[in-house]
């Protein structure tokens, strides 16, 4: 334990990273407020297409902040951002295909 | 800030064996991203299967207040998840799952604060925030254990249901749920609950184990010796992903 190799210089400046910490807490408040709004909507808006659409939009906004800020993807190179986002197209296709399939099963059995 | 300015090119570039650094990310970080993409596919498959099952079942069409448990239609989740520890018999729809969501988001914040401290080689703060993250993870797991236990044991009255047993229709009172019986609705609803929240809980558990390992290595000076706290960042990516999955589970299993 005696020999400690420092490749980086120890940063003693207390102001260092203050901006990142501010951004982190800002993201926290955004996530908290959106989640609280979701609760409010869950008990005030009647169940239907509008309610589900609002929930989906809010979920995507939350996902954007978690992936972009917490996982830092927003600040990576463009190639990395696209390498992560493009495969999600397959997920979108899977959702569409299987929800239609589920609906077809419903029609075949109950309609 | 002015006290510590790095001259461009002074930092030793991190090269992979081919002599370049693809996408300006280290090998480990990039592989964590690709692992998370594969994990995204797994969780998507589970959630999409849930959607398919839900769309192929009749939905409850009446008012939410008139909802009763039945295996003839898909249940309204806010009427299934309305129990809170120590408040037996009081209907508090989605309150407990809301608390769980808050715990996970908070632990994601402490994790990213640990990553930020790691960038400054600030060992004390890495230790502090890793401990908070570990605590958040264990609290979430404890909440989930309680929720599972409640879901499995069921309500006091149970639900009278007509089910097929050994080839004949029988009427019986069902308490709670397992993989074949479910007092809250069709058995498939309980199956998806166990598989989706169970698979997510397994991820949280693995995350807590990794976080403990990171805390231990930070506390024993391993990363100071190595000269880099990048491992905190890599495990941080995994932990945030677990939070991300919960955001989707919360919406599509509990809210919609």
């Amino acid at each position: 334990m005696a020999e400690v190799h420092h490749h980086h210089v120890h940063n003693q400046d207390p102001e260092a990273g203050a901006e990142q910490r501010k951004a982190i807490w800002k993201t926290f408040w955004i996530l908290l407020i959106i989640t609280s709004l979701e609760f409010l909507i869950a008990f005030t808006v009647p169940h239907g297409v509008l309610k589900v659409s609002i929930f989906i939009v809010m979920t995507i906004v939350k996902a954007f902040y978690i992936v972009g800020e917490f996982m830092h993807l927003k600040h990576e190179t463009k190639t990395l951002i696209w390498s992560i986002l493009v495969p999600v197209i397959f997920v979108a296709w899977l959702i569409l295909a299987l929800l239609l399939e589920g609906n077809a099963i419903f029609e075949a059995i109950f309609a | 800030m002015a006290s510590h300015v790095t001259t461009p090119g002074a930092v030793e570039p991190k090269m992979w064996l081919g002599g370049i650094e693809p996408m300006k990310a280290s090998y480990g970080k990039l592989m964590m991203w690709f692992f998370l993409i594969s994990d995204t596919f797994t969780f998507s498959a589970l959630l999409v299967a849930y959607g398919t099952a839900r769309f192929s079942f009749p939905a409850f069409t009446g008012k939410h207040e008139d909802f009763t448990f039945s295996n003839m239609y898909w249940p309204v989740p806010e009427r299934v998840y309305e129990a809170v520890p120590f408040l037996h018999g009081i209907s508090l729809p989605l309150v407990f799952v809301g608390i769980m969501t808050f715990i996970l988001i908070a632990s994601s914040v402490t994790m990213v604060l640990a990553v930020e401290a790691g960038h400054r080689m600030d060992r004390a703060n890495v230790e502090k925030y890793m401990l908070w993250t570990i605590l958040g993870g264990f609290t979430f797991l404890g909440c989930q254990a309680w929720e599972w236990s409640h879901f499995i044991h069921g309500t006091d009255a149970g639900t009278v249901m007509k089910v097929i047993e050994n080839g004949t229709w029988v009427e019986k009172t069902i308490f709670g749920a397992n993989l074949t019986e479910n007092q809250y609705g069709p058995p498939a609803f309980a199956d998806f609950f166990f598989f989706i929240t169970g698979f997510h809980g397994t991820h949280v558990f693995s995350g807590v184990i990794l976080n403990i390992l990171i805390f231990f290595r930070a506390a024993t000076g391993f990363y100071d010796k190595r000269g880099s706290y990048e491992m905190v960042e890599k495990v941080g990516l995994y932990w945030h992903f677990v939070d991300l999955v919960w955001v989707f589970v919360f919406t599509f299993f509990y809210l919609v």
Side-chain angles (χ1 to χ4, degrees), chain B residues 223-243:
Chain B
Y223 300 124
D224 276 336
K225 227 164 134 186
R226 183 185 271 180
S228 159
Y229 277 77
E230 207 198 43
M231 271 316 285
V232 184
E233 205 174 329
K234 285 180 237 175
V235 171
L237 282 177
Y238 179 79
W239 190 254
H240 298 313
F241 176 76
V242 170
D243 183 29

Side-chain angles (χ1 to χ4, degrees), chain A:
Chain A
M1 286 290 183
E3 22 174 0
V4 175
H5 308 282
H6 276 291
H7 295 295
H8 296 244
V9 185
H10 202 112
N11 199 332
Q12 302 288 4
D13 189 350
E15 285 304 299
E19 226 159 283
Q20 281 105 300
R21 288 196 292 276
K22 223 175 117 186
I24 290 165
W25 284 109
K26 194 183 142 206
T27 311
F28 168 74
W29 287 113
I30 291 169
L31 292 174
L32 194 67
I33 289 165
I34 295 177
T35 308
S36 313
L37 280 177
E38 281 181 327
F39 263 88
L40 198 69
I41 291 164
F43 298 112
T44 51
V45 178
H47 202 81
V49 179
L50 176 72
K51 191 179 178 183
V52 174
S53 312
I54 294 172
F55 281 151
I56 290 171
V57 169
M58 287 178 126
T59 305
I60 291 169
V61 172
K62 282 206 278 185
F64 173 82
Y65 277 102
I66 292 172
V67 177
E69 292 294 340
F70 285 177
M71 298 173 89
H72 213 253
L73 190 63
K74 230 171 111 185
H75 313 282
E76 302 287 351
T77 59
K78 279 216 168 68
T79 347
L80 181 50
I81 295 174
W82 285 113
S83 313
I84 302 304
L85 289 185
V86 169
V88 177
I89 292 170
F90 292 108
V91 176
W93 164 245
L94 190 68
I95 294 168
L96 183 68
L98 283 178
L99 289 188
L100 290 173
E101 192 66 23
N103 210 42
I105 293 169
F106 175 80
E107 305 248 308
I109 299 174
F110 299 100

Side-chain angles (χ1 to χ4, degrees), chain B residues 81 96 100 141-154 177 184 190-202 254:
Chain B
Y81 307 103
F96 193 52
M100 287 165 73
L141 286 171
C143 292
Q144 207 170 33
W146 186 89
E147 200 189 25
W148 270 52
S149 165
H150 182 82
F151 190 81
I152 290 167
H153 290 109
Y184 313 100
D191 297 345
F192 277 112
F193 171 77
F194 289 128
F195 272 86
I196 293 174
T197 65
F199 201 63
H200 177 264
T202 310
Y254 292 95

